[in-house]
C-alpha cells in the first residue's frame, strides 16, 4: 500500500496542559502544524520541543474561520489528507491506518468519523455523533466566525464514514466562552439565512437567560427556508420551552414541548422535558405517561442533539418516582434499580430502593 501524506493542523491559545497528550494522539500523522493565536503560557515552547511546526499570529478581531484557514495554509501543498483537530481532543490508537485504508479504496474528498463529545462521571461516552474534519488539502475552506464549518470549493463532494476512527473530546470547563455570543451575532448578521448558526445564537441567548431574545431568535430559526432538519427544529422548540419556563410561563412552555414531540417523535428529549415539568407540578400520571412514551425509543441517535438526561440515571429515577406515586410499585423498583446501576454512588436512589422494597414487603438483599 502506498503511504499517503497525512498532516494534522490546529489552532491554539494557552493549551499548555494539553500539549503532551494531544501531540501523542496526533503522532500517527506525518507532521503537526499549529497556529498559536496569542498564548501567554509555555504552549509554544512545549510544542516546539515536541517537533511541532508552530506559527504565532494574533488575529484581531478574532474569528475562528480566519484562524482555521491560516492554520490550514501552513500545511504543505503536497498533503493528501488534512486532519483538523483541537487540543482537547484525542484520537484512539490506530486511526491513521483505518483512514489510509479507506481513503485509498474509496478516494473521498472528506470523511466522517465517530466523535465522543462528552463523557459521564464514570468515563463512558454520553453524547456521541459523527463529525467530518478530515479532508483533501485544496478542496475546502472554513466559513463563519464561530461554529465554523468546512465548505467544499468544488461542485462535487464525496464524503464517507470511516468505521473505527474515534475522536474523544475532553472539554476544559474552566475556559470561558464569552466570545461565542458576539461571534454568533456577527455570524447571523453576515448570513441571516444560515439555519445552523441562527439555532446556535438562540441557544446562546438561552444560556445567558436572555429569554425573550432566545425565543425571538429560535422562532426565526424555525421560519428559515433552510431549517428542515427535524432534530434541530425540535431542539429549538425545546429551547423556546425552557425560555418560557425562565419567564414563568409554564403553559406556553408545555405547548412548545408538545410541538417538539410532534416535530421529532423519535427523540426522547421532548418527552423527558415535558415529564420533568409534570413532575414539578406533582402531576405524576402525566409524567409517567410521557416517560413511558420516551422509553419506547431504544436507540440513542448519534447526533449532537441528544442530551444525557434522556438516557442516564435521571431518566430512570424520574420514571421510578412517577410510577411509585401512581401505585405502580413493581415498575418503580425496576426503574430505581436501573437508575442505581447507572449512578451507583447516589445514596438517595439507594434509600428510594429500600423504601420501595419495604412497600412491596420484599426482604433486602
Amino acid at each position: 500500500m502506498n503511504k499517503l501524506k497525512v498532516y494534522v493542523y490546529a489552532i491554539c491559545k494557552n493549551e499548555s496542559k494539553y500539549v503532551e497528550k494531544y501531540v501523542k494522539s496526533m503522532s500517527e500523522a506525518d507532521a503537526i502544524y499549529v497556529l498559536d493565536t496569542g498564548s501567554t503560557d509555555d504552549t509554544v515552547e512545549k510544542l516546539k520541543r515536541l517537533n511541532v511546526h508552530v506559527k504565532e499570529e494574533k488575529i484581531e478581531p478574532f474569528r475562528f474561520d480566519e484562524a482555521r484557514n491560516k492554520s490550514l495554509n501552513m500545511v504543505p501543498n503536497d498533503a493528501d489528507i488534512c486532519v483538523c483537530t483541537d487540543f482537547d481532543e484525542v484520537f484512539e490508537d490506530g486511526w491513521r491506518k483505518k483512514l489510509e485504508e479507506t481513503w485509498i479504496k474509496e478516494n473521498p474528498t472528506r470523511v466522517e468519523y465517530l466523535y465522543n463529545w462528552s463523557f459521564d462521571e464514570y468515563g463512558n461516552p454520553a453524547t456521541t455523533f459523527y463529525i467530518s474534519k478530515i479532508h483533501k488539502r485544496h478542496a475546502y475552506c472554513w466559513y463563519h466566525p464561530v461554529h465554523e464549518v468546512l465548505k467544499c470549493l468544488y461542485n462535487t463532494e464525496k464524503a464517507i464514514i470511516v468505521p473505527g476512527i474515534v475522536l474523544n473530546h475532553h472539554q476544559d470547563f474552566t475556559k470561558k466562552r464569552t466570545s461565542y455570543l458576539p461571534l454568533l451575532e456577527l455570524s447571523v448578521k453576515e448570513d441571516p439565512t444560515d439555519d445552523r448558526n441562527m439555532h446556535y445564537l438562540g441557544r446562546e441567548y438561552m444560556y445567558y437567560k436572555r429569554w425573550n431574545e432566545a425565543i425571538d431568535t429560535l422562532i426565526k430559526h424555525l421560519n428559515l427556508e433552510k431549517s428542515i432538519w427535524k432534530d434541530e427544529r425540535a431542539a429549538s422548540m425545546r429551547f423556546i420551552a425552557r425560555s418560557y419556563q425562565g419567564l414563568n410561563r409554564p403553559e406556553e412552555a408545555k405547548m412548545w414541548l408538545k410541538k417538539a414531540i410532534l416535530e421529532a417523535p423519535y427523540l426522547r428529549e421532548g418527552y423527558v422535558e415535558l415529564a420533568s415539568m409534570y413532575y414539578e407540578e406533582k402531576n405524576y400520571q402525566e409524567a409517567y405517561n410521557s416517560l413511558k412514551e420516551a422509553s419506547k425509543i431504544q436507540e440513542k441517535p448519534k447526533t449532537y442533539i441528544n442530551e444525557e438526561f434522556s438516557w442516564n440515571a435521571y431518566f430512570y429515577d424520574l420514571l421510578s418516582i412517577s410510577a411509585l406515586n401512581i401505585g405502580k410499585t413493581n415498575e418503580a423498583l425496576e426503574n430505581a434499580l436501573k437508575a442505581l446501576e447507572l449512578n451507583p454512588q447516589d445514596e438517595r436512589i439507594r434509600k428510594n430502593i429500600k423504601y420501595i422494597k419495604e412497600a412491596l414487603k420484599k426482604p433486602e438483599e
Side-chain angles (χ1 to χ4, degrees), residues 101-118:
E101 288 174 348
T102 303
W103 196 279
I104 289 171
K105 182 179 178 182
E106 301 290 343
N107 191 31
T109 62
R110 182 177 186 169
V111 302
E112 299 178 16
Y113 45 97
L114 207 60
Y115 186 55
N116 290 320
W117 183 82
S118 67

Side-chain angles (χ1 to χ4, degrees), residues 2 144 159 193 215 275 294 300 331 341 364:
N2 294 325
H144 297 314
T193 69
I215 292 167
K300 185 178 181 180
E331 198 169 341
E341 183 181 349
E364 290 184 47

Side-chain angles (χ1 to χ4, degrees), residues 217-228:
T217 305
L218 291 164
I219 288 175
K220 285 180 183 177
H221 167 252
L222 295 172
N223 289 328
L224 287 174
E225 185 177 346
K226 295 179 182 177
S227 176
I228 58 174

Side-chain angles (χ1 to χ4, degrees), residues 224-238:
L224 287 174
E225 185 177 346
K226 295 179 182 177
S227 176
I228 58 174
W229 185 30
K230 288 184 174 293
D231 299 36
E232 194 168 70
R233 288 178 59 82
S236 280
M237 293 170 186
R238 290 190 293 107

Side-chain angles (χ1 to χ4, degrees), residues 99-164:
L99 175 61
E100 279 192 306
E101 288 174 348
T102 303
W103 196 279
I104 289 171
K105 182 179 178 182
E106 301 290 343
N107 191 31
T109 62
R110 182 177 186 169
V111 302
E112 299 178 16
Y113 45 97
L114 207 60
Y115 186 55
N116 290 320
W117 183 82
S118 67
F119 294 81
D120 64 22
E121 57 188 307
Y122 307 108
N124 302 310
T127 301
T128 298
F129 49 94
Y130 286 95
I131 63 169
S132 53
K133 292 162 62 176
I134 298 177
H135 57 90
K136 277 193 170 182
R137 171 66 178 86
H138 298 287
Y140 290 89
C141 189
W142 291 93
Y143 290 87
H144 297 314
V146 68
H147 292 301
E148 61 282 10
V149 295
L150 269 174
K151 287 191 177 181
C152 189
L153 300 174
Y154 306 115
N155 293 329
T156 57
E157 178 181 52
K158 183 179 180 181
I160 62 170
I161 294 175
V162 179

Side-chain angles (χ1 to χ4, degrees), residues 254-286:
K254 283 186 279 190
M255 178 190 76
W256 278 99
L257 288 173
K258 290 173 183 177
K259 286 177 178 285
I261 291 169
L262 288 172
E263 186 73 28
Y266 49 85
L267 298 177
R268 278 191 180 187
E269 282 72 17
Y271 298 105
V272 179
E273 290 201 49
L274 183 60
S276 297
M277 288 199 68
Y278 284 133
Y279 175 81
E280 292 299 322
E281 296 170 351
K282 294 183 168 49
N283 188 343
Y284 299 113
Q285 183 63 62
E286 288 300 332

